[in-house]
Amino acid sequence: MNTDEPRAAEAWVLNWQTKFYRWATTNKNQKYEDVYNLLYDTKTLQMAWRHVRANKGSKTAGVDGHTRAYVEVGLGEDKFLRDIQAELKAETYRPRPTREKSIPKPNGKVRYLGIPTLRDRVVQQALRMILEPIFEADFYRSSYAYRPNRRTQDAIEEIFQFAKPRTGYEWVVEGDIQGCFDNVHHGILMEEIRKRVIDRKIIRLIRAFLKSGVMTEFGMFRHTVTGTPQGGILSPLLANIYLSRLDQYFLKKWESYGDANGRQRFRKKGLATCTMVRFADDFVILTKGTRAQAEALKEETAQFLKRDLSMELSLEKTRITHVTEGFDFLGHHIVLKANYSGRMSVRIYPSKKSLRTVQKKVKVITSQRTTGQSLGQILAQLNAVLRGWSNYFRFSHSKRTFSYLGDYAWRRVHRWMSKKHGKLSLTTLQRKYFPEWTFQEGNQTLFNPGQVVVERYKYRGALIPTVWSDQAGCLKRKGRRDHWPDEPRLLENLESCCTL
């Protein structure tokens, strides 16, 4: 296999991805019937391998026991990709079963991950590179999980815009689909894929991945009749394609209200308006109406999921809340309350559950079992946890929480030091290890979350750019602003805004 320059391969892949996205955006009836040859192209496989290799999971083996080291040191990247290419070209490629790995959940239950082999991950990544720009053009704008350039903060900010008093969506249906990834109906999924991709070879390969089966931790093979394995590269995209039916259901509802005046007329008739914000299988339905109307909407959603997607709402996680009571979503607690001046405003905090989770991690790192490690090692582990958690919540009203977490971490390290150096007095301990009341060893200093700058996240609405467009830049040059939730200004024609 002749290797091309990485930049040339990346530019070539980005070129046809951009074309796919443009065609799918400008023509909602566009179907793709001859894309299999792109799958086994040298440049596509090279780019797919680069993505897989850069992932930390490349050190984890599938059922064949092969890791990145086996490919790079033993087999060789050239031969590895050449073998995959030959099988794909001859249409003899057969996915191997995924290796099952159980992960305990905080509620005592177990989540099962399916770890594909390295070769299957490369092919799945290549498939994703083909399918993602095609289906991204159709995805619901308020769906945020596993999509390029979209973050959890975008979903939280979308809820903020609807829940604030000016907009007035006060009732919240907190939805959670029971066993979403495990209950994906293969027939319905393939039906959704065929709306855009009708290449039989691509369809056949996707179906082969869905039916590849699972090798359990006890060494037994289990057939996969439904579901997509959590842990696969392609699974998040397939889940989004599958749940796009739910997205479209709520999109049609929103469009049926018309503009802001139309929604106002709708509510004057005593009817409720609603919108949905979804992040993977977690979603909230924000309703402007009464609690009874929110209850009816919950039942309507449950019936739609069962009828059209063969799924069920999780009864223990789905509930109806008023925004003044507050609710948790994606680790944040969102509540409408009076501020210091007495005006009602939406406040967003790290949830108590999220705080308890990070405290538990800090406690484990600084437990008595770790006193055999050096202070520098403990600080390095703590800093990674504290810095990551603080960066995630720095767009919410979290200054007090950050200060509390910083104090908690300091007290835990102080306790750990006392356990490690039990014979030293407190005065000696303080003079020797933290004279300035700051724990430090070598180049490691205890990170203080209280010093993190809290800032407001910019609401991007419908103007979130993809990697295949300069949508945001074009809109900025034309002087447009982000839309308000009740005055959506969606792009009518991507080609008129962007030169692709």
Side-chain angles (χ1 to χ4, degrees):
M1 178 180 293
N2 294 324
T3 58
D4 296 301
E5 288 294 328
R7 289 185 180 178
E10 185 177 2
W12 183 80
V13 169
L14 185 61
N15 180 55
W16 56 256
Q17 282 185 322
T18 303
K19 289 180 179 178
F20 283 178
Y21 179 76
R22 182 186 63 192
W23 296 337
T25 305
T26 56
N27 184 0
K28 294 300 180 181
N29 297 316
Q30 175 77 37
K31 295 183 185 292
Y32 299 80
E33 58 182 345
D34 188 20
V35 292
Y36 187 78
N37 60 315
L38 292 173
L39 181 70
Y40 61 79
D41 188 275
T42 302
K43 302 183 187 69
T44 304
L45 292 177
Q46 285 175 357
M47 288 301 300
W49 168 243
R50 284 180 61 191
H51 281 282
V52 172
R53 184 182 58 192
N55 196 300
K56 291 181 180 179
S58 61
K59 297 179 181 179
T60 306
V63 293
D64 59 0
H66 296 165
T67 63
R68 186 181 68 190
Y70 168 80
V71 174
E72 294 178 336
V73 180
L75 186 63
E77 294 182 11
D78 253 11
K79 181 170 174 26
F80 176 68
L81 295 179
R82 199 161 48 235
D83 291 345
I84 295 175
Q85 185 183 49
E87 289 186 39
L88 287 173
K89 195 170 184 178
E91 299 179 41
T92 58
Y93 185 89
R94 298 293 180 269
R96 300 287 299 275
T98 58
R99 181 171 69 86
E100 188 178 71
K101 176 66 176 177
S102 59
I103 306 293
K105 297 170 69 174
N107 59 5
K109 297 182 179 179
V110 178
R111 173 185 288 113
Y112 291 98
L113 298 182
I115 304 172
T117 62
L118 209 58
R119 64 198 294 273
D120 287 345
R121 277 177 253 178
V122 172
V123 178
Q124 285 191 28
Q125 177 61 34
L127 267 173
R128 179 179 175 176
M129 288 159 59
I130 291 173
L131 297 176
E132 193 169 46
I134 296 172
F135 287 95
E136 181 64 29
D138 297 333
F139 284 156
Y140 184 49
R141 75 172 193 85
S142 291
S143 163
Y144 293 97
Y146 314 123
R147 295 179 61 186
N149 285 348
R150 289 176 176 249
R151 314 179 186 98
T152 54
Q153 284 80 13
D154 288 312
I156 297 298
E157 189 62 25
E158 183 83 5
I159 294 172
F160 174 87
Q161 296 295 329
F162 279 96
K164 62 187 181 181
R166 175 177 175 178
T167 316
Y169 284 72
E170 55 187 349
W171 289 102
V172 181
V173 181
E174 304 172 56
D176 183 271
I177 301 173
Q178 188 171 355
C180 178
F181 282 84
D182 297 330
N183 293 308
V184 169
H185 191 284
H186 293 171
I188 297 174
L189 174 60
M190 301 313 296
E191 190 178 319
E192 288 299 314
I193 292 175
R194 287 193 189 95
K195 289 180 179 179
R196 280 295 196 176
V197 178
I198 56 176
D199 189 320
R200 292 183 179 181
K201 297 176 184 177
I202 293 288
I203 297 293
R204 201 157 45 232
L205 186 59
I206 296 173
R207 190 181 292 276
F209 275 114
L210 293 173
K211 301 290 186 183
S212 62
V214 174
M215 190 64 69
T216 68
E217 292 180 303
F218 303 103
M220 298 179 65
F221 177 79
R222 185 176 72 244
H223 291 282
T224 47
V225 181
T226 60
T228 61
Q230 295 187 56
I233 292 175
L234 196 59
S235 295
L237 176 60
L238 295 180
N240 268 339
I241 294 172
Y242 190 81
L243 292 174
S244 62
R245 280 196 179 185
L246 178 64
D247 298 339
Q248 291 300 319
Y249 181 74
F250 278 93
L251 179 61
K252 288 177 182 177
K253 271 182 172 292
W254 180 262
E255 291 176 342
S256 69
Y257 306 144
D259 57 9
N261 293 328
R263 286 187 284 278
Q264 190 173 1
R265 289 193 296 269
F266 200 83
R267 287 188 287 267
K268 282 182 178 179
K269 295 178 182 178
L271 302 173
T273 57
C274 67
T275 188
M276 181 183 71
V277 178
R278 183 175 67 82
F279 195 92
D281 58 336
D282 294 322
F283 62 89
V284 293
I285 304 170
L286 297 132
T287 309
K288 195 169 186 177
T290 64
R291 182 184 179 91
Q293 289 170 327
E295 291 277 5
L297 189 60
K298 172 187 172 182
E299 183 61 30
E300 181 184 339
T301 305
Q303 290 177 2
F304 175 83
L305 285 171
K306 192 170 185 178
R307 182 184 67 247
D308 287 54
L309 292 175
S310 297
M311 289 184 166
E312 294 185 1
L313 279 178
S314 175
L315 297 179
E316 62 181 61
K317 294 183 180 179
T318 302
R319 59 196 187 98
I320 296 175
T321 313
H322 195 272
V323 289
T324 54
E325 300 172 25
F327 62 97
D328 292 349
F329 189 62
L330 303 180
H332 297 76
H333 182 72
I334 306 168
V335 61
L336 180 68
K337 59 188 295 188
N339 57 20
Y340 295 113
S341 63
R343 296 179 60 184
M344 298 297 287
S345 65
V346 177
R347 310 289 288 182
I348 302 172
Y349 308 97
S351 68
K352 291 182 179 179
K353 183 179 178 181
S354 298
L355 180 59
R356 285 196 300 268
T357 300
V358 72
Q359 283 181 298
K360 185 177 180 180
K361 291 181 179 179
V362 171
K363 190 173 182 179
V364 169
I365 294 172
T366 57
S367 66
Q368 190 170 354
R369 291 176 298 176
T370 63
T371 52
Q373 301 180 39
S374 67
L375 176 61
Q377 291 174 317
I378 295 298
L379 294 180
Q381 296 174 56
L382 279 177
N383 289 348
V385 171
L386 297 174
R387 189 174 284 112
W389 196 85
S390 302
N391 284 336
Y392 180 78
F393 288 105
R394 67 189 176 93
F395 298 107
S396 57
H397 301 88
S398 50
K399 197 64 179 176
R400 287 187 178 181
T401 307
F402 285 172
S403 297
Y404 171 79
L405 181 60
D407 291 341
Y408 177 81
W410 192 95
R411 291 195 305 270
R412 287 299 308 180
V413 176
H414 182 273
R415 179 187 176 93
W416 180 87
M417 292 288 290
S418 299
K419 293 287 185 182
K420 184 177 178 66
H421 306 281
K423 295 182 180 181
L424 297 180
S425 67
L426 181 61
T427 305
T428 306
L429 198 65
Q430 187 263 331
R431 185 177 65 250
K432 187 174 181 180
Y433 292 102
F434 48 102
E436 301 298 328
W437 295 97
T438 301
F439 293 103
Q440 182 175 359
E441 183 173 272
N443 61 348
Q444 294 291 343
T445 303
L446 180 63
F447 178 77
N448 183 12
Q451 295 179 349
V452 174
V453 177
V454 174
E455 56 185 314
R456 193 82 177 86
Y457 189 78
K458 179 176 172 56
Y459 176 55
R460 300 190 291 171
L463 309 180
I464 301 176
T466 70
V467 293
W468 311 290
S469 68
D470 187 26
Q471 184 175 330
C474 291
L475 291 174
K476 187 176 181 181
R477 288 194 297 272
K478 292 195 175 189
R480 301 186 188 179
R481 298 183 301 171
D482 291 356
H483 74 273
W484 295 104
D486 260 350
E487 299 176 8
R489 299 190 182 103
L490 304 178
L491 282 175
E492 297 294 337
N493 190 332
L494 178 69
E495 197 155 14
S496 66
C497 172
C498 306
T499 304
L500 299 176

